[in-house]
Amino acid sequence: MALSSVLQSPAPGFNFDNAARNAALGRNDGGHTPKPLKTGTTIAGVVFKDGVVLGADTRATSSEVVADKACAKIHYISPNIYCCGAGTAADTEKTTDLLSSNLTIFSLNSGRNPRVVMAANILQDMLYRYRGQIGANLILGGVDCTGNHLYKVGPYGSVDKTAYLSMGSGDLAALGILEDGFKPDLEMEQAKDLVRAAIQAGIMSDLGSGNNIDICVITRDGVDYIRPYQESEFTDDRTIKYKYRPGTTRVLTEKVVPLKLEVVHESVKKMVTG
Amino acid sequence: MERRCTGSEVKGVSTGTTILAAIYDGGVVIGSDSRASIGGEYVSSKTINKVIQVHDRIFCCMSGSLADAQAVTKAAKFQLSFHRFMERPPLVIAAATIMKELCYKNKEDLQAGFITAGWDHRHGPQVYVVSLGGMLVSQPVTIGGSGSTYIYGYVDAKYKPNMSREECLQFATNALALAMGRDNVSGGVAHLAVISETGVEHVVVPGNKLPRFNHE
């Protein structure tokens, strides 16, 4: 694509050349187009006495294949706010990045730490505008001057504020643990253990979730991002190395063609610094 | 998440819902259940707030798609906030008209209905209904949402104009309890707001304290 535009200027309008190719590929492959990378996922959050605990598994799947065994699903938003993302991996990544940038600009302009409700509103506005086309299911948790907060934002832009939440394909399994074990004003260790147990339930009962468990504890005093909090006991020992040393592929011939470039136009502009 | 959007016409989280509002002597009671569902099968929230305060003495109840309803009430609250620069608070019909404009102008894209109720200095307690397509109607008592079909008989028989505050509160609680008992996508707690000239009172009736009826 890039090469063709160097030789001739691109035609105006949309280019549908690949549509015929995709249709042909679909026919050959039995109609199976590759699915986008989804995080499968179990994510959960719990509000406890001194703050908020967020937890997530670390498996990213592309259809039946595990694409990433150590995916980071707890995203940084601001020093006091973190966000777990389920759904389409690219969408959650970009949405949380955009949110983080906007809130950093706000912090620089106002000199204040952003509030969790601001983050929830920005997410709601953005996802609602895209009418569900952005597949991001997010759990937003943080501590600010008004207290400890946990929000759930759906892909269509609905917002719900509760004390314990789970989302992702493993959410029902995790929710069972949370419903059973949650109490208001838990201590930190109890809250961490509850979230760990919830993610563990998701990992055990859902095929799309697995591998390690990451935990993020946010309090007034700071953030403790424990990655991994619990490692999967099913590690594989690779018997050979998959890195190839230089020289593995033998070079048969070598031909060097110098590119003769001539200077067509040169202009010098003096920088005025007076 | 996507696998749960099976046969429901509402995309994403639906408020399911039973909402109602009724005028009594001196004020108005507005209330709703607190369940949000996805695809008619999964309860995504047991404690969602559907009674939104858009101004000091004006409340809105939402039904339909939760995302659409939250977006509309946010826009309405924003527009109403400019009324703070006027000498007196906005009229209830002003709030209802704002909701109606948003719903009517965007009727292709939205799937949300509202009940607006409140008290103002000119007309006292009022209840307005903005339906799915953007029709605005004023009524003394009104019910909405999927659970409302089960209580039309009860409301028609039991509502009387000029009830006392306690009678109206009991009527609203009973109606919500009956609807929540029969509609699968309504449930949780009953959120009620009692609005009068003197102020607003929030009443929350937990699920286990709702009135029970003979057949349960």
Side-chain angles (χ1 to χ4, degrees):
Chain A
M1 271 317 112
L3 194 58
S4 62
S5 63
V6 164
L7 298 175
Q8 66 200 70
S9 51
F14 291 114
N15 183 341
F16 290 106
D17 289 347
N18 282 336
R21 178 205 73 177
N22 292 346
L25 276 175
R27 276 196 297 275
N28 291 343
D29 214 18
H32 298 300
T33 43
K35 290 225 186 78
L37 178 66
K38 303 189 83 137
T39 55
T41 282
T42 307
I43 49 177
V46 160
V47 173
F48 70 100
K49 196 169 75 175
D50 304 316
V52 174
V53 178
L54 298 172
D57 72 303
T58 58
R59 175 177 291 182
T61 52
S62 180
S63 301
E64 319 81 38
V65 178
V66 175
D68 191 350
K69 291 183 288 205
C71 174
K73 301 184 193 180
I74 306 182
H75 308 280
Y76 167 85
I77 303 292
S78 76
N80 58 328
I81 305 173
Y82 277 72
C83 182
C84 300
T88 310
D91 289 344
T92 57
E93 196 62 55
K94 269 289 168 235
T95 306
T96 48
D97 251 359
L98 211 53
L99 175 66
S100 178
S101 303
N102 284 337
L103 286 179
T104 310
I105 293 174
F106 165 80
S107 282
L108 290 168
N109 283 339
S110 66
R112 297 171 188 224
N113 253 353
R115 301 192 187 184
V116 191
V117 68
M118 295 165 59
N121 276 329
I122 292 173
L123 283 174
Q124 174 173 46
D125 282 346
M126 181 185 162
L127 292 175
Y128 184 71
R129 211 172 349 126
Y130 284 93
R131 315 186 57 87
Q133 299 299 320
I134 295 186
N137 300 271
L138 305 164
I139 290 185
L140 193 64
V143 175
D144 58 35
C145 56
T146 55
N148 316 321
H149 305 287
L150 193 64
Y151 286 86
K152 163 164 80 167
V153 185
Y156 287 90
S158 56
V159 169
D160 185 19
K161 182 180 193 306
T162 49
Y164 59 93
L165 289 170
S166 72
M167 291 190 102
S169 54
D171 63 347
L172 292 180
L175 205 54
I177 301 288
L178 290 174
E179 291 278 13
D180 188 45
F182 177 80
K183 283 185 288 292
D185 296 326
L186 285 166
E187 295 296 333
M188 186 190 294
E189 288 308 314
Q190 292 173 310
K192 275 159 79 173
D193 201 56
L194 180 63
V195 172
R196 185 212 61 80
I199 306 294
Q200 177 76 16
I203 288 174
M204 285 294 133
S205 312
D206 176 44
L207 295 176
S209 309
N211 302 98
N212 306 335
I213 299 179
D214 292 346
I215 293 270
C216 183
V217 185
I218 311 168
T219 57
R220 291 192 75 92
D221 306 320
V223 173
D224 190 13
Y225 192 156
I226 312 166
R227 177 174 156 80
Y229 182 74
Q230 178 186 293
E231 277 191 317
S232 160
E233 64 248 35
F234 305 106
T235 48
D236 50 357
D237 299 313
R238 298 280 160 87
T239 48
I240 53 170
K241 294 229 178 303
Y242 287 98
K243 277 197 174 339
Y244 297 96
R245 50 167 182 74
T248 307
T249 306
R250 202 157 59 91
V251 178
L252 297 175
T253 53
E254 191 176 310
K255 179 177 172 187
V256 176
V257 176
L259 282 171
K260 287 203 189 60
L261 296 172
E262 51 181 67
V263 178
V264 174
H265 173 73
E266 185 181 325
S267 77
V268 174
K269 194 160 180 174
K270 277 217 178 105
M271 184 165 71
V272 177
T273 57
Chain B
M1 264 65 53
E2 294 81 49
R3 70 181 186 281
R4 294 203 193 99
C5 298
T6 44
S8 174
E9 311 93 50
V10 177
K11 287 233 191 106
V13 182
S14 161
T15 56
T17 239
T18 308
I19 50 177
L20 55 74
I23 297 179
Y24 68 89
D25 184 22
V28 59
V29 171
I30 184 168
S32 79
D33 70 306
S34 69
R35 181 173 290 184
S37 52
I38 299 184
E41 309 172 334
Y42 173 63
V43 175
S44 69
S45 177
K46 299 178 282 191
T47 53
I48 200 94
N49 181 24
K50 301 183 215 183
V51 184
I52 308 288
Q53 181 162 23
V54 292
H55 205 81
D56 296 345
R57 299 266 193 290
I58 308 175
F59 279 71
C60 272
C61 261
M62 46 167 112
S63 68
S65 155
L66 186 61
D68 288 345
Q70 284 180 338
V72 172
T73 45
K74 246 180 157 183
K77 202 169 169 181
F78 170 70
Q79 291 189 32
L80 267 180
S81 68
F82 289 111
H83 283 253
R84 289 198 192 277
F85 301 122
M86 309 277 211
E87 308 80 43
R88 309 185 81 161
L91 301 180
V92 186
I93 186 147
T97 306
I98 290 173
M99 312 287 290
K100 181 265 289 176
E101 285 293 304
L102 289 166
C103 289
Y104 182 72
K105 293 268 163 69
N106 298 297
K107 62 162 77 179
E108 270 89 44
D109 307 314
L110 290 174
Q111 241 184 329
F114 301 91
I115 294 180
T116 308
W119 185 96
D120 64 42
H121 58 275
R122 192 180 289 178
H123 299 293
Q126 297 143 76
V127 170
Y128 293 92
V129 174
V130 178
S131 63
L132 227 56
M135 175 183 80
L136 175 61
V137 161
S138 172
Q139 291 177 318
V141 63
T142 189
I143 50 180
S146 56
S148 65
T149 52
Y150 304 100
I151 50 172
Y152 273 106
Y154 179 79
V155 169
D156 286 344
K158 288 291 182 181
Y159 178 74
K160 298 184 302 295
N162 295 322
M163 283 191 280
S164 74
R165 183 187 169 283
E166 284 63 38
E167 282 176 326
C168 193
L169 201 50
Q170 189 60 52
F171 159 77
T173 313
N174 285 349
L176 283 175
L178 284 166
M180 289 200 264
R182 286 292 181 179
D183 184 25
N184 66 326
V185 285
S186 300
V189 310
H191 281 296
L192 295 148
V194 185
I195 313 160
S196 62
E197 180 178 5
T198 46
V200 174
E201 189 200 332
H202 292 272
V203 177
V204 175
V205 185
N208 56 350
K209 301 273 193 328
L210 283 171
R212 303 176 79 92
F213 297 90
N214 299 343
H215 47 267
E216 276 162 50

